[in-house]
Amino acid sequence: MAAIEISKVSKIYSGDARAVDNVDIHIEDGEFIVLVGPSGCGKSTLLRMVAGLEAITEGEVKIGGKVVNRKDPAERDIAMVFQNYALYPHMTVYNNLAYGLKNRGTPKAEIAARVKEAARMLELEPYLERKPRALSGGQRQRVAMGRAIVRKPAAFLFDEPLSNLDAKLRVSMRGEIKHLQKRLGTTSIYVTHDQLEAMTLADRLVVLNAGRIEQIGTPLDVYHKP
Ligand code: ADP
Ligand code: ADP
């Protein structure tokens, strides 16, 4: 059974134009899928439909065998990482990491253990009592990833998570994401317009153009075929 099954999914915002047009992607358990393509090709719309942040016009999304077609993120066991980090400015790093678990009523000791583990993985231990404004861009992005990791979701959805970082930091964070992926093995969908990022991270790439799948395959398949 595929971990995430996107079947004949389309999005029509208004009129006839399809922002996403009849897309089929079957994602295996633990697979890291990158959606890549030029601005406006429908990457973000597709990801947001999988996330339950956008209504699906046609088709079906299944996560772990369960249909999740409603516009309701809580219906799915997923965690998202955004480019703008979406951290709570008034909370410490610890509480930013713990917040989602507290809301779900996770026991305190379990929260502390998960936050500690994520902080160790992401080298955030020295910064747990700081507020986001006292962190660098890379540290903020690590907190955003930590918030997803502590949830232990069935899947991660990344929406251009590195695009607010400078070029050098982007390269090092790309390496960190790759490393985390190896370690956690969580099924992921990652959106980027950066081909190098796509090539480095992807088990399989999905190249979108005008809402349709233009190519799908390993980085080798997609970039090295004549
Ligand atoms: P990408 O993430 O690849 O840049 P998007 O998914 O943001 O592409 O956009 C795909 C298409 O859908 C574009 O033509 C865009 O203008 C359109 N679109 C995106 N969001 C909306 C919206 N909220 N209302 C109407 N059209 C939208
Ligand atoms: P609030 O803002 O909700 O008052 P607190 O800062 O008091 O939050 O922390 C909430 C819980 O998280 C408390 O049980 C606190 O002991 C624990 N906590 C906060 N920071 C850390 C940390 N660095 N390591 C372990 N536990 C922490």
Side-chain angles (χ1 to χ4, degrees), residues 57-118:
T57 312
E58 290 168 6
E60 184 177 273
V61 174
K62 277 188 194 170
I63 300 180
K66 181 180 156 229
V67 177
V68 287
N69 275 9
R70 277 192 298 147
K71 186 178 168 185
D72 172 14
E75 191 189 22
R76 307 145 165 78
D77 181 18
I78 51 125
M80 269 197 102
V81 182
F82 299 95
Q83 66 173 279
N84 62 3
Y85 320 130
L87 302 181
Y88 300 108
H90 60 287
M91 289 185 198
T92 61
V93 168
Y94 184 95
N95 285 320
N96 264 283
L97 293 171
Y99 184 77
L101 297 176
K102 278 186 191 166
N103 273 353
R104 282 175 186 75
T106 309
K108 249 185 165 175
E110 173 72 16
I111 294 177
R114 290 203 202 178
V115 169
K116 201 174 149 195
E117 191 192 0

Side-chain angles (χ1 to χ4, degrees), residues 115-186:
V115 169
K116 201 174 149 195
E117 191 192 0
R120 200 182 52 238
M121 265 190 245
L122 293 159
E123 293 177 13
L124 285 170
E125 284 162 311
Y127 313 112
L128 284 171
E129 304 305 330
R130 286 200 196 174
K131 301 274 172 72
R133 66 170 173 277
L135 300 175
S136 70
Q139 289 163 349
R140 284 179 202 172
Q141 189 47 265
R142 281 201 211 97
V143 177
M145 283 194 268
R147 283 214 314 211
I149 288 171
V150 295
R151 294 258 317 274
K152 298 185 189 289
F156 295 130
L157 305 181
F158 297 94
D159 194 358
E160 305 238 10
L162 305 185
S163 57
N164 277 346
L165 303 176
D166 65 50
K168 197 172 156 212
L169 198 51
R170 218 155 51 218
V171 173
S172 76
M173 290 299 293
R174 194 204 290 157
E176 284 190 35
I177 291 175
K178 180 104 189 159
H179 182 74
L180 278 173
Q181 166 62 6
K182 284 212 171 116
R183 177 151 178 196
L184 297 170
T186 306

